[in-house]
């Protein structure tokens, strides 16, 4: 076990630091010797209580606890004992991965307060919107008070500026009381460049593999049993202590493991054994991630599909820069809808290599989106989709993905047409790092605004200036999805020059990407449209439709 | 296609060099413009003939051809066109992976000549010994005239000092005429540190992964389609041009590939499609390497098993240094015989982590040995097993592995008790590298003798001072293996304190690791023993046996 274990007033402090010959615990100003075992754990049991601060005095320097539960003063300061007690009221809630509708949010910018309490104040709104799960961008302690969270360095500590561990528990409790699941974004591929005290303590990091963002965990070399345990116990920790329902694993393509059993397979097993689910961010278009073990996969429940996003974005915006150079045709969208991966063994010009492999799984194995923190935030101006295309196109994009067989994920604010940007922001303290990030973001992302400035962070906060028409459409689309759709891959797609018809179960969905004339040989009643050119009653015939979408309930059912 | 393609007197020269804007061919003193295509290939077709020398003049410097077929002047000199013609006489030979008995040899030290011709002169001897396949340590062009071959930098060129491409063809032809297969040791995990001109031409090497020996190929990033092709065509090349029957893939644990289809799977497919087989050196104890695709494996035919070697070596020598610290018990040998991997999910002290996963496949999926170039040559003194244990123990080791269900591999000279060492030797020209290798070998392997000295190389040549008793035993063991044994995993093992009885098919094999008293309840006739304490006729009873082995043909057959 990692971190302080509290039981019956006693606390067992434990540090995995095989590089250190001697470690002492410094607790409330006193020091205590710790015993080292053959695997490199240093341990001592003492009387201690909630609120007590501690560090470890090692022969390699004084360090906070890498498995600290709370860092009230941030990544460079003392660790603090927290209470495991919490008045949970969510007995009635059961986590479920069925028919998820996810809402991705960043705690710091979602509300004015920028805290878990701020999120709580909007739970009724989210519940009313109809989503079934919140997905929190990483909350593991990262440097400073502002950040996306992917530079976290304490896997077990909840960000102090968000409200710490008790704040997160309150949020989960309140979400569960409203029937909302909570998915946590966890970063097991690297740790941030500032505040990483683990590196001097033991072989936490790989010497074989490199990521673009920093050191990656050592999952397959000397000491890797402990590193794997560090991560697997972290999964259990979030479930057991915080009642987290599911996980979003950041960038699994940067998790390297040549062990006979991949750490991703083990993470999925740990989550499943507790009735929870796991979603992977994967850039590999590799069926192995989500295939079950019988199909030689890791058994992860779902993965993000950038191909869908890129297809829709490139087609609607006309952008062809960067990864969008591989997309832009309407047939990319239809291939994404039917085959999931647009690149399933095709040569990608952007990547300069053949990419992907075909996959064939139900829609519940995939999460799609028309925006997410990366797609918005990695643009130079942090522009949301609503700022790039007209509202008609925006409505089309929304309907396309919310009515698809996949799990849809809304990026906070998208549902009402938020126009504030979502920029990259940070709050490092190391001047060199600050300069490096500034330069890197300018050079690689074209972000002119200073990531380190509080202004950049503040300007990324949601305004909640609601476009009621968009919000109503989102709500109605979610209702229709819940009532009529599922994850079965029975979608039929008819593609025209600049229109598309999707048929699934009893629904017929018409998308006019421009003003179009579309022939239909079906009957149906209009459930929802984004403009009045879509007739209330559909009969066989040709229709002149204005740019937009219409959803019909057909009389012929799923044999249409 | 890589390298010069000769057809009808014309030669198409081709260089994959996406980093170069302009490349010219310099052929016999003249220069010719080359055209570049969008994937980064530079190409020109010209009249040229066997013996013509050429280089490429690039805007990044003049380079030999990375896919050169022949480097008569070594790794830093001009490439030469060679003839594809050869008077093959092996129509009657069919490569087969059934019941292999492999003989690993290093061309430079196997014979006085140190050439392919030198090997040819000993083919009748090898045929008489009874082995069915030669395994040649790498012959791809490496720096200088002496080396193990793992520092090769021209995957398609045959070492000049061994006799070049025509020499290798002669050897394969003569081997095939005697019914011997030829397995080639190929290094697809890294290239050597000297003479690597590829690095400046294109993304041949990975920026993500590191090996202890140098740059590793880029199998999964930008440009990897071409790098994969470079390697896969190399497999075809050895088969099509040299009639190679099988491959030994060096250190597959250092081949990193996160593509949906692993390069190892593709290598196996290419070899299989031509009726050839592939053997992997793997340090992973991972069933994925040799499992077939239905079992989620790469479908490689066989893999080396160090666990067997280490078990036998540690038990017989008493050595416990380095990786031998994980072995040394008689039950390790019996576990290797029955379960293949001794470490199949156990914690390894040497590795500092849990290692391996259980495997269950026929013996033909595994190659075992009591010596190989690494196990001998990575010792400080390059001592062979015969110099470390007494002859009785040596005979036991021989019988143990030659009569096992696995594919046995003899390391050259072992069969007659060669006592010359096999040391590490090299012939680099870069002074810094020479010093680094000298220091590294001293520090890490304890090799005092200078790797760079020709003396070290010469002293590693086989003396062919034959211990007739050992040679006769090897021959007889091979005969018995061929006549009575197969790869089925029907071996029964009975382990005593310092003895072991193996029963397989009609054979009962007794091993007395010390003078022992062993009770037997079987009847049998002696086929072979290493000392006269083993009675000619076995009946139920207790036997006092001197250290050694005896092999009996039982009357009860395989139901024993």
């Amino acid at each position: 076990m990692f971190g302080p274990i509290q039981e019956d007033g006693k606390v067992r402090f434990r540090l995995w630091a095989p590089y250190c010959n001697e470690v002492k615990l410094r607790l409330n100003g006193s020091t205590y010797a710790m015993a080292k075992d053959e695997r490199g754990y240093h341990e001592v049991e003492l009387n201690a209580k909630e609120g007590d601060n501690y560090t470890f005095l090692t022969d390699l320097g004084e360090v906070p606890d890498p498995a600290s539960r709370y860092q009230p003063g941030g990544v460079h300061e003392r660790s603090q004992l927290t209470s495991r007690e919490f008045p949970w009221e969510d007995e009635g809630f059961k986590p479920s991965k069925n028919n998820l509708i996810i809402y991705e949010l960043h705690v710091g910018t979602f509300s004015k307060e920028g805290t878990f309490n701020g999120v709580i104040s909007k739970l009724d709104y989210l519940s009313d919107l109809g989503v079934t799960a919140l997905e929190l961008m990483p909350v593991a302690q990262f440097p400073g008070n502002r950040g996306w969270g992917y530079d976290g360095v304490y896997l077990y500590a909840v960000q102090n500026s968000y409200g710490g561990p008790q704040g997160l528990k309150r949020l989960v409790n309140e979400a569960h009381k409203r029937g909302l699941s909570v998915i946590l974004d966890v970063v097991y591929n690297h740790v941030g460049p500032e505040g990483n005290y683990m590196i001097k303590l033991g072989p936490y990091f790989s010497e074989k593999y490199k990521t673009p963002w920093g050191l990656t965990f050592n999952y397959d070399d000397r000491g890797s049993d402990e590193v794997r345990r560090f991560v697997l116990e972290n999964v259990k920790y979030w479930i057991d202590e915080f009642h987290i329902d599911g996980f979003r694993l950041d960038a699994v393509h940067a998790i390297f493991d040549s062990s006979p059993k991949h750490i991703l397979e083990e993470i999925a097993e740990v989550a499943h054994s507790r009735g929870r689910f796991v979603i992977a961010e994967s850039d590999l278009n590799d069926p192995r991630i989500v295939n079950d073990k019988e199909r030689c996969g890791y058994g992860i429940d779902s993965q993000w599909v950038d191909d869908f996003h890129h297809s829709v974005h490139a087609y609607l915006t006309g952008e062809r820069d960067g990864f969008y150079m591989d997309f832009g045709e309407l047939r990319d969208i239809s291939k994404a809808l039917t085959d999931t991966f647009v690149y399933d063994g095709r040569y990608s010009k952007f990547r300069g290599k053949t990419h992907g492999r075909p996959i064939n799984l139900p829609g519940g194995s995939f999460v799609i989106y028309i925006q997410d923190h990366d797609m918005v935030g990695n643009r130079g101006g942090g522009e949301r989709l609503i700022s790039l295309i007209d509202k008609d196109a925006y409505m089309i994009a929304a309907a396309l993905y919310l009515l698809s067989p996949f799990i849809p994920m809304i990026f906070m604010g998208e549902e009402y047409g938020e126009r504030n940007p979502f920029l990259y922001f940070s709050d490092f303290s190391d001047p060199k790092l600050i300069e490096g990030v500034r330069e890197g973001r300018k050079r690689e992302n074209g972000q002119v605004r200073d990531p380190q400035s509080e202004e950049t962070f503040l300007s990324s906060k949601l305004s909640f200036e609601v476009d009621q028409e968009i919000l109503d459409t989102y709500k109605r689309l979610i209702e229709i999805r819940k009532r009529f759709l599922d994850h079965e891959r029975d979608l039929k797609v008819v593609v025209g020059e600049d229109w598309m018809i999707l048929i699934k179960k009893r629904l017929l969905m018409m998308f006019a990407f421009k003003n179009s004339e579309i022939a239909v040989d079906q009957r149906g009643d209009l459930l929802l449209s984004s403009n009045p050119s879509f007739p209330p009653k559909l009969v066989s015939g040709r229709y002149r439709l204005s740019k937009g979408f219409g959803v019909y309930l057909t009389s012929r059912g799923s044999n249409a």
Side-chain angles (χ1 to χ4, degrees), chain A residues 387-405:
Chain A
S387 311
L388 304 173
I389 58 177
D390 61 36
K391 201 159 139 185
D392 294 321
Y394 193 76
M395 296 292 208
I396 290 175
L400 247 178
Y401 94 107
L402 287 170
L403 301 182
S404 81

Side-chain angles (χ1 to χ4, degrees), chain A residues 2-212:
Chain A
F2 291 83
I5 316 296
Q6 303 172 55
E7 232 154 356
D8 307 326
K10 289 264 181 190
V11 178
R12 196 182 50 167
F13 293 89
R14 210 162 183 229
L15 177 72
W16 185 60
Y19 293 169
C20 301
N21 294 316
E22 208 190 347
V23 177
K24 288 186 182 122
L25 173 73
R26 174 172 276 177
L27 177 71
N28 300 328
S30 304
T31 58
Y32 304 90
M34 299 180 81
K36 183 180 183 182
D37 73 13
E38 58 174 9
R39 290 252 182 142
Y41 289 94
H42 301 257
E43 200 177 304
V44 65
E45 198 173 56
L46 288 171
N47 289 316
K49 58 182 192 313
E50 188 190 336
D52 286 354
N53 293 306
Y54 68 102
T55 53
F56 296 113
L57 285 171
T58 82
D59 44 352
L60 304 171
E62 184 172 6
V63 297
D65 186 354
S68 164
R69 269 48 171 162
Y70 191 33
Q71 291 293 115
V75 300
H76 300 294
E77 299 299 323
R78 293 180 298 172
S79 304
Q80 186 173 101
L81 291 179
T82 60
S83 173
R84 294 183 59 194
E85 305 297 318
F86 184 79
W88 288 103
E89 304 162 284
D90 63 350
E91 302 72 26
F93 181 79
K94 276 214 166 173
S96 162
K97 62 174 185 179
N98 292 331
N99 302 311
L100 282 169
I101 300 170
I102 302 175
Y103 189 89
E104 187 192 29
L105 70 84
H106 174 260
V107 175
T109 52
F110 180 62
S111 68
K112 245 188 210 124
E113 303 89 320
T115 59
F116 297 120
N117 280 343
V119 181
I120 292 173
S121 70
K122 301 219 182 300
L123 286 177
D124 289 333
Y125 163 80
L126 294 175
S127 184
D128 188 48
L129 173 61
V131 298
T132 69
L134 316 188
E135 180 170 313
L136 306 179
M137 284 171 65
V139 304
Q141 184 73 40
F142 54 80
N145 292 316
R146 316 178 287 276
W148 282 14
Y150 299 96
D151 288 319
V153 276
Y154 291 83
L155 270 67
Y156 290 79
V158 180
Q159 178 69 11
N160 56 349
S161 58
Y162 288 172
Q166 293 304 93
L168 178 58
K169 287 179 196 171
R170 271 195 303 278
L171 169 56
V172 176
N173 190 52
E174 291 300 325
H176 284 177
K177 280 161 70 181
R178 289 163 179 82
L180 292 167
S181 297
V182 180
I183 300 169
L184 193 61
D185 192 341
V186 284
V187 185
Y188 295 145
N189 53 59
H190 80 288
V191 295
E194 183 177 321
N196 173 4
Y197 292 94
M198 288 179 272
I199 188 164
K200 51 180 166 186
L201 304 178
Y204 285 86
F205 303 101
S206 175
E207 294 185 348
K208 270 193 313 219
Y209 312 120
K210 255 173 48 181
T211 81

Side-chain angles (χ1 to χ4, degrees), chain A residues 467-533:
Chain A
D467 180 320
Q468 198 61 45
E469 193 190 2
I470 296 179
L471 183 58
D472 288 344
T473 302
Y474 265 76
K475 283 189 187 173
R476 184 73 179 117
L477 285 167
I478 290 171
E479 273 171 29
I480 293 172
R481 172 178 188 87
K482 285 180 173 171
R483 173 130 184 237
F484 297 106
L485 294 170
D486 59 23
H487 292 313
E488 217 186 302
R489 299 306 287 263
D490 54 355
L491 185 74
K492 284 173 202 120
V493 183
V494 186
V495 186
E497 204 186 332
D498 37 31
W499 54 265
M500 195 183 263
I501 295 177
L502 305 184
I503 300 164
K504 179 167 165 61
K505 295 279 181 297
R506 291 191 59 197
L507 294 193
L508 182 145
M509 301 162 262
M510 294 168 77
F511 298 90
F513 296 98
K514 289 184 183 164
N515 296 343
S516 309
E517 198 173 293
I518 309 183
V520 186
D521 64 348
Q522 305 246 353
R523 294 171 160 278
D525 297 304
L526 187 67
L527 291 173
L528 177 68
S529 76
S530 61
N531 70 55
S533 70

